Amino acid sequence: MSEQYQKGTLVSNYLKKLGVHPITIAEAVSDENYRNSYRLIKENPEISKKEFLTKMQLVEEV
């Protein structure tokens, strides 16, 4: 399995549990964002949805 797939899957599953919109999850696991998303979650496994989106500078789709 590739690094991007493994990290992207972890990020995706975590964000789904937080109730993040699927389009926003896709942005978080994109080629340019997955490493930062993964790092944020690993550094703070209790990160909130709002804090994650703010630090990643993502706006959630409604």
Side-chain angles (χ1 to χ4, degrees), residues 4-58:
Q4 183 173 0
Y5 179 79
Q6 289 176 323
K7 290 181 177 182
T9 300
L10 183 137
V11 170
S12 178
N13 290 339
Y14 185 86
L15 296 178
K16 282 178 190 174
K17 289 179 187 174
L18 291 180
V20 176
H21 191 278
I23 292 174
T24 308
I25 292 173
E27 290 179 39
V29 297
S30 67
D31 290 347
E32 52 276 339
N33 289 329
Y34 80 92
R35 285 188 179 101
N36 286 336
S37 296
Y38 180 82
R39 179 185 50 77
L40 275 177
I41 291 169
K42 282 302 197 181
E43 287 176 356
N44 184 1
E46 302 299 319
I47 194 167
S48 69
K49 176 180 172 178
K50 182 178 179 181
E51 185 178 4
F52 178 85
L53 294 175
T54 300
K55 288 188 177 197
M56 288 299 296
Q57 298 179 347
L58 296 174

